[in-house]
Coordinates of all heavy atoms in Angstrom, one line a residue:
M19 N 10.0 3.5 20.1 CA 9.1 4.1 19.2 C 9.1 3.2 17.9 O 10.1 2.6 17.5 CB 9.6 5.5 18.7 CG 8.7 6.1 17.8 SD 8.7 7.9 17.9 CE 9.4 8.3 16.3
I20 N 7.9 3.0 17.4 CA 7.7 2.1 16.2 C 8.1 2.9 15.0 O 7.7 4.1 14.8 CB 6.2 1.7 16.1 CG1 5.9 0.8 17.3 CG2 6.0 0.9 14.8 CD1 4.4 0.4 17.4
Q21 N 8.9 2.3 14.2 CA 9.4 2.9 12.9 C 8.5 2.5 11.8 O 8.7 1.4 11.2 CB 10.8 2.6 12.6 CG 11.8 3.1 13.7 CD 13.2 2.8 13.3 OE1 13.5 2.4 12.2 NE2 14.1 3.1 14.3
W22 N 7.4 3.3 11.5 CA 6.5 3.0 10.4 C 7.1 3.2 9.1 O 7.8 4.2 8.9 CB 5.2 3.8 10.6 CG 4.4 3.4 11.8 CD1 4.4 4.1 13.0 CD2 3.6 2.3 12.0 NE1 3.6 3.5 13.9 CE2 3.1 2.4 13.3 CE3 3.2 1.3 11.2 CZ2 2.2 1.4 13.8 CZ3 2.3 0.4 11.7 CH2 1.8 0.4 13.0
R23 N 6.7 2.4 8.1 CA 7.2 2.5 6.7 C 5.9 2.6 5.9 O 4.9 1.9 6.1 CB 8.0 1.3 6.3 CG 9.2 1.1 7.1 CD 9.9 -0.1 6.8 NE 11.1 -0.3 7.6 CZ 11.8 -1.4 7.7 NH1 11.5 -2.4 7.0 NH2 12.8 -1.4 8.5
K24 N 5.9 3.5 4.9 CA 4.8 3.6 4.0 C 4.7 2.3 3.1 O 5.7 1.9 2.6 CB 5.0 4.8 3.1 CG 3.8 5.1 2.2 CD 3.6 6.5 1.9 CE 2.4 6.8 1.0 NZ 1.1 6.5 1.6
Y25 N 3.5 1.8 3.1 CA 3.3 0.6 2.3 C 3.1 0.9 0.8 O 2.3 1.7 0.4 CB 2.0 -0.2 2.8 CG 1.7 -1.3 2.0 CD1 2.5 -2.4 1.8 CD2 0.4 -1.4 1.3 CE1 2.2 -3.5 1.0 CE2 0.1 -2.5 0.5 CZ 1.0 -3.5 0.4 OH 0.6 -4.6 -0.4
D26 N 3.9 0.3 0.0 CA 3.9 0.4 -1.4 C 3.6 -0.9 -2.0 O 4.5 -1.8 -2.0 CB 5.2 1.0 -2.0 CG 5.2 1.1 -3.5 OD1 4.2 0.8 -4.1 OD2 6.3 1.5 -4.0
P27 N 2.4 -1.2 -2.6 CA 2.1 -2.5 -3.1 C 3.0 -2.9 -4.2 O 3.1 -4.1 -4.5 CB 0.6 -2.3 -3.7 CG 0.1 -1.1 -3.0 CD 1.3 -0.3 -2.7
K28 N 3.6 -2.0 -4.9 CA 4.6 -2.3 -6.0 C 5.9 -2.8 -5.4 O 6.7 -3.3 -6.2 CB 4.7 -1.2 -6.9 CG 3.4 -0.9 -7.7 CD 3.6 0.3 -8.6 CE 2.2 0.6 -9.3 NZ 2.2 1.8 -10.0
N29 N 6.2 -2.5 -4.2 CA 7.4 -2.8 -3.5 C 7.1 -3.3 -2.1 O 7.4 -2.7 -1.1 CB 8.4 -1.6 -3.5 CG 9.7 -2.0 -3.0 OD1 10.1 -3.1 -3.0 ND2 10.4 -1.0 -2.4
P30 N 6.4 -4.5 -2.0 CA 6.0 -4.9 -0.7 C 7.1 -5.5 0.2 O 8.2 -5.8 -0.3 CB 5.0 -6.1 -1.0 CG 5.5 -6.6 -2.3 CD 6.1 -5.4 -3.0
P31 N 6.8 -5.6 1.5 CA 7.8 -6.2 2.4 C 8.0 -7.7 2.2 O 7.1 -8.3 1.5 CB 7.2 -5.9 3.8 CG 5.8 -5.9 3.6 CD 5.6 -5.3 2.2
E32 N 9.0 -8.3 2.8 CA 9.1 -9.7 2.7 C 8.0 -10.4 3.5 O 7.4 -9.8 4.4 CB 10.4 -10.1 3.4 CG 11.7 -9.7 2.6 CD 11.8 -10.4 1.3 OE1 11.6 -11.7 1.2 OE2 12.1 -9.7 0.3
P33 N 7.6 -11.6 3.1 CA 6.5 -12.3 3.8 C 6.9 -12.4 5.3 O 8.1 -12.6 5.7 CB 6.5 -13.7 3.2 CG 7.0 -13.5 1.8 CD 8.0 -12.4 1.9
G34 N 5.9 -12.2 6.2 CA 6.1 -12.3 7.6 C 5.1 -11.5 8.4 O 4.1 -11.0 7.8
R35 N 5.2 -11.4 9.7 CA 4.3 -10.7 10.6 C 4.7 -9.3 10.8 O 5.9 -9.0 11.0 CB 4.2 -11.4 11.9 CG 3.6 -12.8 11.9 CD 3.4 -13.4 13.2 NE 2.3 -12.7 13.9 CZ 2.1 -12.7 15.2 NH1 2.9 -13.4 16.0 NH2 1.1 -12.0 15.7
Y36 N 3.8 -8.4 10.7 CA 4.0 -7.0 10.8 C 2.9 -6.3 11.6 O 1.8 -6.7 11.7 CB 4.1 -6.3 9.4 CG 5.2 -6.8 8.6 CD1 5.1 -7.9 7.8 CD2 6.4 -6.1 8.6 CE1 6.1 -8.3 7.0 CE2 7.5 -6.6 7.8 CZ 7.3 -7.7 7.0 OH 8.4 -8.1 6.2
F37 N 3.3 -5.1 12.2 CA 2.3 -4.2 12.6 C 1.8 -3.5 11.4 O 2.6 -3.2 10.5 CB 2.8 -3.1 13.6 CG 3.2 -3.6 14.9 CD1 4.6 -3.6 15.3 CD2 2.3 -4.2 15.8 CE1 5.0 -4.0 16.6 CE2 2.7 -4.7 17.0 CZ 4.0 -4.6 17.4
I38 N 0.5 -3.2 11.3 CA -0.1 -2.5 10.1 C -0.9 -1.4 10.6 O -1.4 -1.4 11.7 CB -0.9 -3.4 9.2 CG1 -2.0 -4.1 9.9 CG2 0.1 -4.4 8.5 CD1 -3.0 -4.8 9.0
S39 N -1.2 -0.4 9.7 CA -2.0 0.7 10.1 C -2.7 1.2 8.8 O -2.2 1.1 7.7 CB -1.2 1.9 10.7 OG -2.1 3.0 10.9
D40 N -3.9 1.7 9.0 CA -4.7 2.4 8.0 C -4.6 3.9 8.1 O -5.4 4.6 7.5 CB -6.1 1.9 7.9 CG -6.9 2.2 9.2 OD1 -6.4 2.7 10.1 OD2 -8.1 1.8 9.2
G41 N -3.8 4.4 9.1 CA -3.7 5.8 9.4 C -4.5 6.2 10.5 O -4.4 7.3 11.1
I42 N -5.4 5.3 11.0 CA -6.3 5.6 12.1 C -6.1 4.5 13.2 O -5.9 4.8 14.4 CB -7.8 5.6 11.7 CG1 -8.0 6.7 10.7 CG2 -8.7 5.8 12.9 CD1 -9.3 6.7 10.0
D43 N -6.2 3.3 12.8 CA -6.1 2.1 13.7 C -4.8 1.3 13.4 O -4.2 1.5 12.3 CB -7.3 1.2 13.6 CG -8.5 1.9 14.1 OD1 -8.5 2.4 15.2 OD2 -9.5 2.0 13.3
A44 N -4.4 0.5 14.3 CA -3.2 -0.4 14.1 C -3.6 -1.8 14.5 O -4.5 -2.0 15.3 CB -2.0 0.1 14.9
D45 N -2.9 -2.8 13.9 CA -3.2 -4.2 14.2 C -1.9 -5.0 13.8 O -1.0 -4.4 13.3 CB -4.4 -4.7 13.5 CG -5.1 -5.8 14.1 OD1 -4.4 -6.5 15.0 OD2 -6.3 -6.1 13.9
V46 N -2.0 -6.3 14.0 CA -0.9 -7.2 13.5 C -1.5 -8.0 12.4 O -2.7 -8.4 12.4 CB -0.5 -8.1 14.7 CG1 0.5 -9.1 14.2 CG2 0.1 -7.3 15.8
A47 N -0.7 -8.2 11.3 CA -1.1 -9.0 10.2 C 0.1 -9.7 9.6 O 1.2 -9.4 9.9 CB -1.8 -8.1 9.1
I48 N -0.2 -10.6 8.7 CA 0.8 -11.4 8.0 C 0.8 -10.9 6.5 O -0.3 -10.9 5.9 CB 0.5 -12.9 8.1 CG1 0.6 -13.3 9.5 CG2 1.5 -13.7 7.2 CD1 0.1 -14.7 9.8
Y49 N 2.0 -10.6 6.1 CA 2.1 -10.3 4.6 C 2.5 -11.6 4.0 O 3.5 -12.3 4.4 CB 3.1 -9.2 4.3 CG 3.1 -8.9 2.8 CD1 2.1 -8.0 2.4 CD2 3.9 -9.6 1.9 CE1 2.0 -7.8 1.0 CE2 3.8 -9.3 0.6 CZ 2.8 -8.4 0.1 OH 2.7 -8.2 -1.2
T50 N 1.7 -12.0 2.9 CA 2.0 -13.3 2.3 C 1.9 -13.1 0.8 O 1.1 -12.3 0.3 CB 1.0 -14.3 2.7 OG1 1.2 -15.5 2.0 CG2 -0.5 -13.9 2.5
K51 N 2.8 -13.8 0.1 CA 2.8 -13.8 -1.4 C 1.7 -14.8 -1.9 O 1.3 -14.7 -3.1 CB 4.1 -14.1 -1.9 CG 5.1 -13.1 -1.6 CD 6.4 -13.3 -2.4 CE 7.3 -12.1 -2.1 NZ 8.6 -12.1 -2.8
L52 N 1.2 -15.7 -1.0 CA 0.2 -16.6 -1.5 C -1.1 -15.8 -1.9 O -1.7 -16.1 -2.9 CB -0.2 -17.5 -0.3 CG -1.3 -18.6 -0.6 CD1 -0.8 -19.5 -1.7 CD2 -1.6 -19.3 0.7
W53 N -1.5 -14.8 -1.2 CA -2.6 -13.9 -1.5 C -2.1 -12.6 -2.1 O -2.9 -11.8 -2.5 CB -3.5 -13.6 -0.3 CG -4.2 -14.8 0.2 CD1 -5.2 -15.5 -0.3 CD2 -3.9 -15.5 1.5 NE1 -5.6 -16.6 0.5 CE2 -4.8 -16.6 1.6 CE3 -3.0 -15.2 2.5 CZ2 -4.8 -17.4 2.7 CZ3 -3.0 -16.1 3.6 CH2 -3.9 -17.1 3.7
D54 N -0.8 -12.5 -2.2 CA -0.2 -11.2 -2.7 C -0.8 -10.0 -1.9 O -1.2 -9.0 -2.5 CB -0.5 -11.1 -4.2 CG 0.5 -10.1 -4.8 OD1 1.6 -9.9 -4.3 OD2 0.1 -9.5 -5.9
G55 N -0.8 -10.1 -0.6 CA -1.2 -9.0 0.2 C -1.3 -9.4 1.7 O -0.7 -10.4 2.1
W56 N -2.0 -8.6 2.4 CA -2.1 -8.8 3.9 C -3.2 -9.7 4.3 O -4.3 -9.7 3.8 CB -2.4 -7.4 4.5 CG -1.3 -6.4 4.3 CD1 -1.3 -5.4 3.3 CD2 0.0 -6.4 4.9 NE1 -0.1 -4.7 3.4 CE2 0.7 -5.3 4.3 CE3 0.6 -7.1 5.9 CZ2 2.0 -4.9 4.8 CZ3 1.8 -6.8 6.3 CH2 2.5 -5.7 5.8
S57 N -2.9 -10.6 5.2 CA -3.9 -11.5 5.8 C -4.2 -10.8 7.2 O -3.4 -10.8 8.1 CB -3.3 -12.9 6.0 OG -4.2 -13.7 6.7
I58 N -5.4 -10.3 7.3 CA -5.8 -9.6 8.4 C -7.0 -10.3 9.2 O -7.9 -10.8 8.5 CB -6.3 -8.2 8.0 CG1 -5.2 -7.4 7.3 CG2 -6.8 -7.4 9.2 CD1 -5.7 -6.1 6.6
S59 N -6.9 -10.3 10.5 CA -7.9 -11.0 11.3 C -9.3 -10.4 11.0 O -9.5 -9.2 10.7 CB -7.6 -10.8 12.8 OG -8.7 -11.3 13.6
D60 N -10.3 -11.3 11.0 CA -11.7 -10.8 10.7 C -12.2 -9.8 11.7 O -13.1 -9.0 11.4 CB -12.7 -12.0 10.7 CG -12.5 -12.9 9.5 OD1 -11.9 -12.4 8.5 OD2 -12.9 -14.1 9.6
D61 N -11.7 -9.8 13.0 CA -12.1 -8.9 14.0 C -11.3 -7.6 14.1 O -11.4 -6.8 15.0 CB -12.3 -9.5 15.3 CG -10.9 -10.1 15.9 OD1 -9.9 -10.0 15.1 OD2 -10.9 -10.5 17.0
S62 N -10.4 -7.4 13.1 CA -9.6 -6.2 13.0 C -10.4 -4.9 12.7 O -11.4 -5.0 12.0 CB -8.5 -6.4 11.9 OG -7.7 -5.2 11.8
L63 N -9.9 -3.8 13.3 CA -10.5 -2.5 13.0 C -10.1 -2.0 11.6 O -10.8 -1.1 11.0 CB -10.2 -1.5 14.0 CG -10.7 -1.7 15.4 CD1 -10.1 -0.7 16.4 CD2 -12.2 -1.7 15.4
I64 N -9.1 -2.7 11.0 CA -8.7 -2.4 9.6 C -9.5 -3.3 8.7 O -9.5 -4.5 8.8 CB -7.2 -2.6 9.4 CG1 -6.4 -1.6 10.4 CG2 -6.8 -2.3 8.0 CD1 -5.0 -1.8 10.4
N65 N -10.3 -2.7 7.8 CA -11.3 -3.4 7.1 C -10.7 -4.4 6.1 O -11.2 -5.5 5.9 CB -12.2 -2.5 6.3 CG -13.1 -1.7 7.3 OD1 -13.6 -2.2 8.3 ND2 -13.3 -0.4 7.0
S66 N -9.7 -4.0 5.3 CA -9.2 -4.9 4.3 C -7.7 -4.6 4.0 O -7.2 -3.5 4.4 CB -10.0 -4.8 3.0 OG -9.7 -3.6 2.3
S67 N -7.1 -5.4 3.3 CA -5.7 -5.2 2.9 C -5.5 -4.0 2.0 O -4.5 -3.3 2.0 CB -5.1 -6.4 2.2 OG -5.8 -6.7 1.0
N68 N -6.6 -3.6 1.3 CA -6.5 -2.3 0.5 C -6.4 -1.1 1.4 O -6.1 0.0 0.9 CB -7.8 -2.3 -0.4 CG -7.8 -3.3 -1.4 OD1 -6.7 -3.8 -1.9 ND2 -8.9 -3.8 -1.8
D69 N -6.8 -1.2 2.6 CA -6.8 0.0 3.5 C -5.4 0.2 4.2 O -5.2 1.2 4.9 CB -7.9 -0.2 4.6 CG -9.2 -0.1 4.0 OD1 -9.4 0.5 3.0 OD2 -10.2 -0.8 4.6
V70 N -4.5 -0.7 4.1 CA -3.2 -0.6 4.8 C -2.4 0.5 4.1 O -2.1 0.5 2.9 CB -2.4 -2.0 4.7 CG1 -1.0 -1.8 5.3 CG2 -3.2 -3.0 5.5
T71 N -2.0 1.4 4.9 CA -1.1 2.5 4.4 C 0.3 2.5 4.9 O 1.2 3.0 4.3 CB -1.7 3.9 4.8 OG1 -1.7 4.0 6.3 CG2 -3.1 4.1 4.2
H72 N 0.5 1.8 6.1 CA 1.8 1.8 6.7 C 2.0 0.4 7.4 O 1.0 -0.2 7.8 CB 2.0 2.9 7.7 CG 2.1 4.2 7.1 ND1 1.0 4.9 6.7 CD2 3.2 5.0 6.8 CE1 1.4 6.1 6.2 NE2 2.7 6.1 6.3
Y73 N 3.3 0.0 7.5 CA 3.6 -1.2 8.2 C 4.9 -1.0 9.0 O 5.6 -0.1 8.8 CB 3.7 -2.4 7.3 CG 4.9 -2.3 6.4 CD1 6.1 -3.0 6.8 CD2 4.9 -1.6 5.2 CE1 7.2 -2.9 6.0 CE2 6.0 -1.6 4.4 CZ 7.2 -2.2 4.8 OH 8.3 -2.2 4.0
A74 N 5.1 -1.9 10.0 CA 6.3 -1.8 10.8 C 6.8 -3.2 11.1 O 5.9 -4.1 11.4 CB 6.1 -1.0 12.1
V75 N 8.1 -3.4 11.1 CA 8.6 -4.7 11.5 C 8.4 -5.0 13.0 O 8.5 -4.1 13.8 CB 10.2 -4.7 11.2 CG1 10.8 -5.9 11.7 CG2 10.4 -4.5 9.7
I76 N 8.0 -6.2 13.3 CA 7.9 -6.6 14.7 C 9.2 -7.2 15.1 O 9.6 -8.2 14.5 CB 6.8 -7.7 14.9 CG1 5.4 -7.1 14.5 CG2 6.8 -8.2 16.3 CD1 4.3 -8.1 14.5
N77 N 9.9 -6.6 16.0 CA 11.1 -7.2 16.5 C 11.0 -7.2 18.1 O 10.7 -6.2 18.7 CB 12.4 -6.4 16.1 CG 12.3 -5.0 16.4 OD1 11.3 -4.4 16.5 ND2 13.5 -4.3 16.4
L78 N 11.1 -8.4 18.6 CA 10.9 -8.6 20.0 C 12.2 -8.3 20.8 O 13.2 -8.1 20.2 CB 10.5 -10.1 20.2 CG 9.3 -10.6 19.6 CD1 9.1 -12.1 19.7 CD2 8.1 -9.8 20.1
P79 N 12.1 -8.1 22.1 CA 13.3 -7.7 22.9 C 14.4 -8.7 22.6 O 14.2 -10.0 22.6 CB 12.8 -7.8 24.3 CG 11.3 -7.6 24.2 CD 10.9 -8.2 22.9
G80 N 15.6 -8.2 22.3 CA 16.7 -9.1 22.1 C 16.9 -9.4 20.6 O 17.9 -9.9 20.2
E81 N 15.9 -9.0 19.8 CA 16.1 -9.3 18.3 C 16.5 -8.0 17.7 O 16.1 -6.9 18.1 CB 14.7 -9.7 17.7 CG 14.2 -11.0 18.1 CD 12.9 -11.4 17.4 OE1 12.3 -10.5 16.9 OE2 12.6 -12.6 17.5
E82 N 17.3 -8.1 16.6 CA 17.7 -6.9 15.9 C 17.0 -7.0 14.5 O 16.8 -8.0 13.9 CB 19.2 -7.0 15.7 CG 20.0 -7.1 16.9 CD 20.9 -5.9 17.2 OE1 21.0 -5.1 16.2 OE2 21.4 -5.7 18.3
E83 N 16.7 -5.8 14.0 CA 16.0 -5.7 12.7 C 17.1 -6.0 11.6 O 18.2 -5.6 11.7 CB 15.5 -4.3 12.5 CG 14.7 -4.2 11.2 CD 14.1 -2.8 11.0 OE1 14.0 -2.1 11.9 OE2 13.8 -2.5 9.8
A84 N 16.7 -6.8 10.6 CA 17.6 -7.2 9.6 C 17.9 -6.0 8.6 O 17.1 -5.1 8.5 CB 17.0 -8.3 8.8

């Protein structure tokens, strides 16, 4: 099961790749400090970084969450 975390722009995650959600759809995005927000693919169902409500760490088989 994916452990979703509520996204708080005042306390963002570390830069990296994450699952993101707007509460309806989910996608993969990169959180970057360069833009101070989410870099989302143009073909994503999530319209913009302002729509992100939750995120989850991507950990592949054999990886442990830090």
Side-chain angles (χ1 to χ4, degrees):
M19 182 152 115
I20 297 174
Q21 294 182 12
W22 292 101
R23 299 175 182 169
K24 183 150 180 66
Y25 173 60
D26 177 4
K28 294 178 183 172
N29 186 23
E32 291 294 316
R35 293 186 70 198
Y36 295 90
F37 291 118
I38 59 168
S39 176
D40 61 359
I42 299 170
D43 295 304
D45 206 339
V46 175
I48 298 171
Y49 186 82
T50 176
K51 291 189 178 184
L52 180 63
W53 294 291
D54 200 25
W56 298 102
S57 176
I58 302 171
S59 173
D60 289 339
D61 63 353
S62 176
L63 293 173
I64 299 173
N65 292 323
S66 76
S67 61
N68 293 330
D69 295 331
V70 175
T71 60
H72 291 78
Y73 70 96
V75 174
I76 298 174
N77 54 338
L78 300 172
E81 293 181 343
E82 304 243 349
E83 184 179 340

